[in-house]
Amino acid sequence: MVRMAKQDDSLATDQWGFSTRAIHSQNHSSHEHGALNPPIYYTSTYGFESAEQCAARFSGDEPGMIYSRITNPTVQLLESRLANLENGEAAVAFGSGMGAISSLVWTFLRPNDEVIVDATLYGCTHSLVNHILPEFGIKVHPLDLTDPNNLKIYLNSNTKLVFFETPANPNMRLIDIAKVAETVKANCSAMVVVDSTYCTPYLQRPLDLGADMVIHSLTKYLNGHGDVIAGAAIGTNEAMTLMRKVGLKELTGACLSPMDAYLVLRGIKTLPIRMEKHCASATKIAAFLESHPQAASVAYPGLTSHPAHKLANRQMKLPGAMIAFEAKGGVEHGRQFMNRLTLWTRAVSLGDAESLAEHPASMTHASYTAEERKAHLISEGLVRLSVGLEDVDDLIKDLDQALG
Ligand code: 3LM
């Protein structure tokens, strides 16, 4: 007999551990033929039984599918699994991480609103919030949120959004989610939104720490295989309804394809074991780099030398698998190092099985001007490593020969 783990099983999904939920949570009992994997619903539209049903679906009186820009059963399974893993009420999937972030800002911000962001953001997020939002009459304050007290100067009744990444891309600064959320809530009703892409819910769950919404680029660890571009937002039912009905449906249209939703669901099944291996290898590599005579500095939350090492222990299950380091000899030596790598791939993105190396100042963070990079704490010589799933000794050998 085929036994499918279902939401309505006597063992409630909230009693399951993370790995079990990553594989089984919200499985539909309706999978035909007992198929182990969910069907990929390749359809743009859905037929209705009557004109009355059409009207009821559109008015929201009857739940169900209307059109795949808004909902699709395969995408919906991914959304409910993500909500389950992040301990959120609901989730919305998007065609990219930037689709999620742009849907967030266009859904919730209007002229004269104020936004507080951390000084360090992924390059395209930086462009959107620091360059584009001000053109729409939105006031943006980039602050150093590693000290949540900095918030108090700017929080006021116009502040609608406080947004940050932790760890921050690319310099690995860590922000205390609980402290930021507590400070914001004590002063105004702004939403606290955390881009937790570097961590995934396996390492860090911002909603449990008081944040209102979590953003992910699913392109990275959650999918984990470097073959999909996807994003998601997770939060309350109310906020996710607005993200779907305003942000996704009417503003960005950044919907996720059912095939890509299927691939991310497949990736998530192995997320816990992948993250364990990513983090174990990164811990070894960070220690190797820190002791290397050619490395000038290494930023990795698992190192006791990281200024927020204690916060990392509190806030993250493991220190992640992203490392920022600078070679002695600055930009020029960093360039030579990158060119000498043979096993590591010179590429943007992160969280893949393949180990990747990139130079933020000329690649992911080239949308900052040189002055902005300085002001936003991104050093010109920084090299960013995304530690993959290869044998760690092979990765270390390649780093060693490339450092020279
Ligand atoms: C990168 N980052 O190499 P997508 N939030 C964070 C991210 O790191 C990213 C996004 C959102 C990289 C992509 S750069 C040309 C390649 C913390 C993406 C946006 O839209 O799914 O790429 O996510 O750092």
Side-chain angles (χ1 to χ4, degrees), residues 95-99 101 122 124-125 165 167 169 195 197-198 215-220 229-231 347-350 358 363-365 384:
S96 66
M98 284 314 297
I101 296 167
Y122 162 60
C124 296
T125 312
E165 301 166 1
N169 182 357
D195 183 334
T197 296
Y198 267 35
I215 295 282
H216 283 292
S217 167
L218 304 176
T219 314
K220 313 300 182 326
I229 298 284
V348 295
S349 203
L350 52 119
E358 69 112 10
M363 297 166 75
T364 49
H365 294 69
R384 190 188 77 179

Side-chain angles (χ1 to χ4, degrees), residues 119-200:
T120 309
L121 294 171
Y122 162 60
C124 296
T125 312
H126 158 76
S127 286
L128 173 61
V129 298
N130 290 312
H131 296 166
I132 297 172
L133 291 188
E135 292 177 6
F136 288 81
I138 295 159
K139 212 170 183 179
V140 180
H141 306 285
L143 302 180
D144 177 2
L145 294 185
T146 59
D147 180 358
N149 286 321
N150 290 336
L151 279 163
K152 290 180 186 158
I153 315 165
Y154 290 97
L155 286 172
N156 67 64
S157 58
N158 288 333
T159 315
K160 295 289 152 51
L161 173 66
V162 176
F163 182 97
F164 58 94
E165 301 166 1
T166 180
N169 182 357
N171 51 20
M172 303 304 293
R173 293 162 61 255
L174 252 58
I175 292 163
D176 189 327
I177 300 169
K179 276 235 175 75
V180 168
E182 188 188 299
T183 310
V184 172
K185 306 289 164 201
N187 287 276
C188 66
S189 59
M191 271 196 309
V192 176
V193 180
V194 180
D195 183 334
S196 195
T197 296
Y198 267 35
C199 281
T200 81

Side-chain angles (χ1 to χ4, degrees), residues 254-294:
C255 57
L256 183 64
S257 92
M259 181 68 205
D260 287 347
Y262 172 82
L263 287 172
V264 180
L265 278 164
R266 186 168 77 158
I268 289 175
K269 288 187 190 185
T270 56
L271 177 71
I273 53 167
R274 284 189 288 106
M275 292 313 287
E276 292 282 343
K277 164 99 177 170
H278 278 298
C279 296
S281 296
T283 300
K284 283 193 183 158
I285 288 173
F288 160 78
L289 286 173
E290 196 170 48
S291 65
H292 199 286
Q294 291 300 329

